[in-house]
């Protein structure tokens, strides 16, 4: 009876359209809103469009009747979005959407694949529904990013451009600082979170089929595939058990070079746009609550602000830090970094900055905290062997015996250098 009632309800919902008499089991399953929204983010856009083209019923469900189907759009695995050409001087080549001629600009060339995709999905009335856009590893120009940010027809709230190619970071900084100016129009910009500093999320590794001889795979190849799967599973479980960057994993979090100007950009955008990095709160910087209370290190270059590239625990001696900890739930929102991976089921910065509980911890009982520091603020205070550090309240980094040499690991490392 229940199954018949469901089919009758579907028939009423799709009345007037060309629907087969017997409802497809997949259509019946995806008609459940909860199942649909939990499944859709895992499917590439090509699969969604192919499914919508399968029948008028699927088209009405995915494109017309259900909002939010294309809320999360990840183009990193789309084949035509890849950019593998090194130079622009390839006479006679024709891109999918632009022809190389004397009128072609540098932005048209490098952003050509993505602009072609955008034009295609805009015609399908998909682009205006995208709220999370992932472009990691693709060819993304600053002009293309600016078009996404200022286009009034787009509603992108979370944008990920980690490890992209051909990005002019200075132009991007200028666009971001202009968008976050104090005289900006109300309710602008729509962008709330930007992933740009961290490394792109690791893609799922699929084992390729071994070479077959007479239709049978070699026994050794099957054994290798089995061990590869086990190794990938173990690695994935190990990464998952370590928890989130900043809160659970300590040490150097951001490995890429931080271009000049990013610290000022984070400061100017602090109340408008959140990033996957935060400002350093060391005493050398003007945004620190203890700015000016400690003498500067002679080895450090003084900057008003700095981007934190290290996440530290408490000082190895006193267990704290002069400026205190950044604590999730207590610190202001602009002090909380966006966490990887990009959320699948939500497009809010609140979800993107919420740390997951550690393995074995009780929900609600764990305090998520860290000390954000740049390299200059821990110079001669940090041991790279064991990730311990010593704060300004405990010792002076200008002393003839730097505090990090007190670490046993550093002593062993120093002994090895002397003995060579």
């Amino acid at each position: 009876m229940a199954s018949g009632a469901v089919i009758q309800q579907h028939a009423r919902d799709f009345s007037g359209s060309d629907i087969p008499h017997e409802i497809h089991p997949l259509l019946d399953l995806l008609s459940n809103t909860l199942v649909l929204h939990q499944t859709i983010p895992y499917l590439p856009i090509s699969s969604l469009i192919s499914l919508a083209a399968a029948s008028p019923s699927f088209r009405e469900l995915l494109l017309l009747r259900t909002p939010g189907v294309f809320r999360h759009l990840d183009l990193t695995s789309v084949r035509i979005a890849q950019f593998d050409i090194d130079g622009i001087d390839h006479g006679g080549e024709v891109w999918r959407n632009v022809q190389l001629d004397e009128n072609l600009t540098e932005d048209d060339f490098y952003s050509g694949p993505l602009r072609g995709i955008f034009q295609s999905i805009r015609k399908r009335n998909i682009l205006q529904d995208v709220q999370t856009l992932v472009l990691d590893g693709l060819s993304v120009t600053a002009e293309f990013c600016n078009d996404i940010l200022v286009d009034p027809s787009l509603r992108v709230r979370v944008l990920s451009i980690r490890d992209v190619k051909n990005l002019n970071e200075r132009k991007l900084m200028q666009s971001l600082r202009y968008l976050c100016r104090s005289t900006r129009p109300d309710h602008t910009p729509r962008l709330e979170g930007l992933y740009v500093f961290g490394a792109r999320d690791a893609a799922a590794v699929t084992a390729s089929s071994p070479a077959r001889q007479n239709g049978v795979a070699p026994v050794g190849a099957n054994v290798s595939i089995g061990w590869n799967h086990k190794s990938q599973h173990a690695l994935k479980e190990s990464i998952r058990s370590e928890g989130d960057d900043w809160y659970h994993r300590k040490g150097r979090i951001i490995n890429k070079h931080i271009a000049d100007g990013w610290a000022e950009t984070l400061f100017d955008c602090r109340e408008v746009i959140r990033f996957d990095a935060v400002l350093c709160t060391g005493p050398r910087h003007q945004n620190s609550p203890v700015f000016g209370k400690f003498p500067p290190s002679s080895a450090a270059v003084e900057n008003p602000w700095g981007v934190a590239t290290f996440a530290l625990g408490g000082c190895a001696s006193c267990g704290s830090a002069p400026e205190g900890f950044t604590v999730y739930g207590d610190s202001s929102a602009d002090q909380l970094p966006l966490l990887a991976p990009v959320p699948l089921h939500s497009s809010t910065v609140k979800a993107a900055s919420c740390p997951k509980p550690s393995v074995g911890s009780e929900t609600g009982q764990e305090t998520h905290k860290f000390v954000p520091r740049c390299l200059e603020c821990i110079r001669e205070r940090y041991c790279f062997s064991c990730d311990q550090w010593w704060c300004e309240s405990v010792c002076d980094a200008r002393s003839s015996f730097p505090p990090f040499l007190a670490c046993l690991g550093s002593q062993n490392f120093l002994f090895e250098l002397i003995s060579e």
Side-chain angles (χ1 to χ4, degrees):
M1 293 296 292
S3 176
V6 170
I7 295 178
Q8 291 178 6
Q9 180 62 39
H10 286 324
R12 288 193 294 269
D13 291 341
F14 292 103
S15 59
S17 58
D18 186 14
I19 308 296
H21 294 292
E22 187 175 348
I23 300 298
H24 194 283
L26 180 59
L27 177 65
D28 188 30
L29 179 65
L30 294 181
S31 296
N32 185 311
T33 305
L34 179 60
V35 174
L36 177 66
H37 285 287
Q38 291 294 319
T39 305
I40 288 301
Y42 296 97
L43 300 178
I45 184 174
S46 56
S47 298
L48 291 176
I49 294 177
S50 298
L51 184 60
S55 72
S57 304
F58 281 108
R59 181 178 183 275
E60 183 170 352
L61 173 66
L62 297 177
L63 299 182
L64 303 178
R65 192 164 61 92
T66 307
V69 170
F70 296 95
R71 176 193 55 79
H72 184 103
L73 180 60
D74 187 346
L75 299 179
T76 57
S77 60
V78 177
R79 182 179 57 82
I80 62 174
Q82 309 304 315
F83 188 95
D84 298 324
I85 295 180
D86 296 329
I88 193 171
D89 194 12
H90 291 258
E93 287 196 26
V94 179
W95 270 109
R96 303 163 189 81
N97 57 328
V98 290
Q99 184 171 359
L100 300 182
D101 56 22
E102 65 277 5
N103 297 320
L104 182 66
T105 66
E106 184 179 5
D107 173 67
D108 291 334
F109 178 77
Y110 288 120
S111 64
L114 282 179
R115 291 190 184 277
I117 293 175
F118 268 46
Q119 183 179 4
S120 176
I121 61 179
R122 190 188 294 270
K123 292 179 180 179
R124 300 172 184 266
N125 296 322
I126 292 174
L127 199 56
Q128 70 271 13
D129 296 327
V130 177
Q131 297 184 31
T132 298
L133 180 60
V134 183
L135 305 176
D136 298 338
L138 303 178
S139 179
V140 180
T141 63
E143 291 82 357
F144 183 73
C145 290
N146 185 70
D147 292 345
I148 294 175
L149 299 179
V150 302
D151 191 336
S153 65
L154 300 184
R155 304 175 184 176
V156 177
R157 300 164 65 184
V158 177
L159 174 64
S160 182
I161 51 173
R162 296 167 295 180
D163 294 336
V164 297
K165 309 170 187 174
N166 308 310
L167 176 65
N168 187 323
E169 295 190 23
R170 291 194 177 277
K171 287 186 178 181
L172 177 60
M173 294 180 213
Q174 293 174 359
S175 297
L176 293 172
R177 297 175 76 172
Y178 180 77
L179 288 172
C180 298
R181 68 193 186 280
S182 58
T183 57
R184 67 184 182 278
D186 294 338
H187 310 297
T188 61
R190 291 184 175 178
L191 183 71
E192 298 177 2
L194 178 63
Y195 287 82
V196 65
F197 296 103
R200 59 186 297 188
D201 298 331
V205 181
T206 57
S208 57
S209 301
R212 292 178 174 268
Q213 298 178 351
N214 299 325
V216 180
V219 176
N222 289 331
V223 174
S224 300
I225 290 175
W227 279 109
N228 283 337
H229 280 300
K230 292 180 180 179
S231 299
Q232 294 165 15
H233 177 73
L235 177 61
K236 199 174 298 182
E237 291 299 320
S238 175
I239 294 175
R240 186 181 295 114
S241 64
E242 290 180 3
D244 296 302
D245 286 341
W246 302 101
Y247 296 101
H248 301 123
R249 287 197 288 268
K250 297 297 190 289
R252 184 184 285 275
I253 302 299
I254 300 176
N255 293 306
K256 66 174 290 185
H257 170 70
I258 305 297
D260 293 338
W262 271 118
E264 290 77 7
T265 302
L266 263 65
F267 183 80
D268 291 341
C269 301
R270 65 192 183 280
E271 297 180 354
V272 184
I273 299 176
R274 303 266 292 279
F275 296 83
D276 55 338
V278 291
L279 291 173
C280 174
T281 56
R284 298 172 49 252
H285 303 295
Q286 296 180 10
N287 60 297
S288 174
V290 291
F291 173 68
K293 294 184 179 181
F294 295 91
S297 171
S298 58
V301 178
E302 297 303 317
N303 291 313
W305 302 283
V307 178
T309 54
F310 285 79
L312 307 175
C315 167
S317 295
C318 69
S320 184
E323 68 271 29
F325 289 92
T326 295
V327 183
Y328 179 79
D330 292 339
S331 301
S332 59
D334 61 280
Q335 296 179 332
L336 306 178
L338 302 180
L339 304 175
V342 180
L344 283 176
H345 303 291
S346 177
S347 297
T348 65
V349 293
K350 182 178 181 180
S353 59
C354 179
K356 297 181 290 291
S358 301
V359 176
S361 64
E362 297 183 7
T363 305
Q365 301 297 322
E366 184 180 7
T367 300
H368 302 280
K369 62 181 182 180
F370 67 97
V371 178
R373 288 287 184 107
C374 64
L375 178 60
E376 293 298 329
C377 282
I378 59 173
R379 188 179 295 277
E380 298 182 350
R381 299 181 179 279
Y382 181 76
C383 174
F384 286 88
S385 298
C386 62
D387 292 329
Q388 291 190 91
W389 74 293
W390 289 259
C391 71
E392 293 80 0
S393 300
V394 171
C395 53
D396 188 353
R398 297 174 298 173
S399 62
S400 58
F401 187 76
F404 71 88
L405 292 181
C407 175
L408 180 61
S410 295
Q411 288 181 343
N412 293 337
F413 178 69
L414 183 62
F415 176 78
E416 293 176 1
L417 290 178
I418 295 175
S419 62
E420 289 182 354

